[in-house]
Amino acid sequence: MTNSVKDMLDAYPADPGGVDLAKLARCIEECLACAQACTACADACLAEEAVGELTRCIRTDADCADICAATAAVLSRRTGYDADVTRTLLQACATVCKACGDECRSHADMHDHCRVCAEACRRCEEACNDLMSSLG
């Protein structure tokens, strides 16, 4: 199986500017996976009988999916890289992933989709924090 994120980062024609490409690739991959998990979790919540009890989870899933997708897109663009913007975006992504992971974890015993989503959120939060700590 090929890793298109890593392949695209490796194919970039300019110097990556001291960014750890392995951490960058992992962060982009985890952001994309988390966006997908959150989108699917929100949809699964809407299919549950007690959907009214999942309103906060659905909202948090939607916010997390949007921020993760935006983070992956910005991290994928290397031209005109701005470390301050990247740090701010990574912090926002880690923050929303923590909030979403906590919310989904609170429903994980009753809804397997929330357990899966909480795990994706934790991995993304960790990847964002790891990349952020490596930035100069």
Side-chain angles (χ1 to χ4, degrees), residues 26-27 90-91 93-95 122-135:
R26 177 176 169 246
C27 192
L90 287 169
Q91 182 61 57
C93 192
T95 299
R122 294 289 179 240
R123 287 190 306 271
C124 189
E125 177 188 7
E126 180 182 287
C128 286
N129 285 328
D130 193 33
L131 179 58
M132 199 172 8
S133 69
S134 75
L135 297 176

Side-chain angles (χ1 to χ4, degrees), residues 34 38 56-57 60-61 63-65 67-68 89-106 114 117-129 132:
C34 191
C38 288
R56 180 181 168 132
C57 190
T60 307
D61 280 338
D63 290 347
C64 193
I67 292 170
C68 286
L89 189 56
L90 287 169
Q91 182 61 57
C93 192
T95 299
V96 76
C97 284
K98 179 173 179 4
C100 190
D102 289 349
E103 179 63 26
C104 284
R105 178 66 57 209
S106 73
C114 286
C117 189
E119 291 169 1
C121 288
R122 294 289 179 240
R123 287 190 306 271
C124 189
E125 177 188 7
E126 180 182 287
C128 286
N129 285 328
M132 199 172 8

